[in-house]
Amino acid sequence: MKRFLFYLLLLLQIAILFLLGVQYYFIDDYGRTVQLLSKHEEMTDTYGSYNQHMTYIDYEINFIAEDAWEIAEEVDYNTKIYVLLESDSDGVFHIAKANDQKIDAEQDQVVLQGRYQYYNDMQKEYHVTYGIESFHPDFDFNSSVRDQSIITIQLAPWGQKKVTDIEN
């Protein structure tokens, strides 16, 4: 009986590791496509450890204006923030509001979970990151163009996000 439980637990661990490894690839099949705008002239190439090509993008949604910030008290660094995005007539998503409580989304809306970074007193805006600012691109794009770009991301129902395309 002990041997059976040991093998059962071992198989369960292998199955969990397998699912963790392949869930990134399931985002394309089960995720929702969302288009975002980059901040002008903010796309940069960097080189990480072992000379792996990395890209860093500041999105418009990283910068939340005071009128969209629906949090009354001061927020600590790295606090979880929920940002409601609405699509415009072109299908590009923009900030509707941000809160530290969960927000329900309607048909043409999505909610992204981010982390509060800081408040810029000169610009009167809050800076939030979402975990999609730095990534290894698995597609070709022209990183030398410094115009505003449309970035396509996939949002999985289980919360994972990935960048799938950049249109310069």
Side-chain angles (χ1 to χ4, degrees):
M1 184 65 171
K2 286 184 181 181
R3 182 172 287 190
F4 173 75
L5 286 176
F6 172 77
Y7 287 121
L8 183 65
L9 287 174
L10 181 63
L11 284 173
L12 182 63
Q13 289 175 347
I14 291 171
I16 290 172
L17 287 174
F18 174 76
L19 287 175
L20 288 174
V22 299
Q23 71 179 350
Y24 179 81
Y25 300 101
F26 287 143
I27 295 173
D28 293 333
D29 296 330
Y30 300 104
R32 179 172 179 182
T33 302
V34 174
Q35 291 185 321
L36 305 171
L37 291 176
S38 68
K39 194 98 165 139
H40 285 295
E41 300 182 11
E42 292 296 331
M43 193 180 318
T44 58
D45 290 333
T46 59
Y47 291 91
S49 60
Y50 305 109
N51 205 24
Q52 294 175 347
H53 182 67
M54 294 283 293
T55 298
Y56 182 83
I57 297 175
D58 268 337
Y59 300 86
E60 279 191 341
I61 63 169
N62 288 121
F63 306 93
I64 303 173
E66 285 182 334
D67 60 342
W69 191 258
E70 296 185 350
I71 303 172
E73 65 275 351
E74 190 172 322
V75 179
D76 292 330
Y77 172 79
N78 228 16
T79 298
K80 189 184 299 185
I81 303 295
Y82 299 93
V83 181
L84 181 69
L85 306 177
E86 293 180 334
S87 65
D88 62 14
S89 60
D90 295 328
V92 177
F93 284 77
H94 304 279
I95 294 174
K97 64 181 178 179
N99 205 316
D100 58 348
Q101 304 297 317
K102 283 194 172 188
I103 302 171
D104 292 327
E106 295 179 9
Q107 182 67 23
D108 61 341
Q109 300 174 328
V110 294
V111 175
L112 283 183
Q113 183 178 308
R115 295 285 178 177
Y116 172 75
Q117 300 301 300
Y118 59 87
Y119 175 73
N120 184 332
D121 195 35
M122 292 182 66
Q123 300 291 328
K124 303 292 186 208
E125 62 190 12
Y126 298 87
H127 189 258
V128 174
T129 58
Y130 302 93
I132 53 173
E133 292 78 15
S134 182
F135 60 95
H136 296 280
D138 55 356
F139 51 87
D140 293 327
F141 71 96
N142 185 357
S143 61
S144 64
V145 176
R146 294 295 179 225
D147 293 331
Q148 193 170 35
S149 300
I150 296 176
I151 296 95
T152 303
I153 64 171
Q154 290 290 112
L155 303 175
W158 52 90
Q160 232 176 340
K161 309 174 262 307
K162 80 173 183 178
V163 175
T164 57
D165 190 35
I166 299 175
E167 295 176 35
N168 294 322

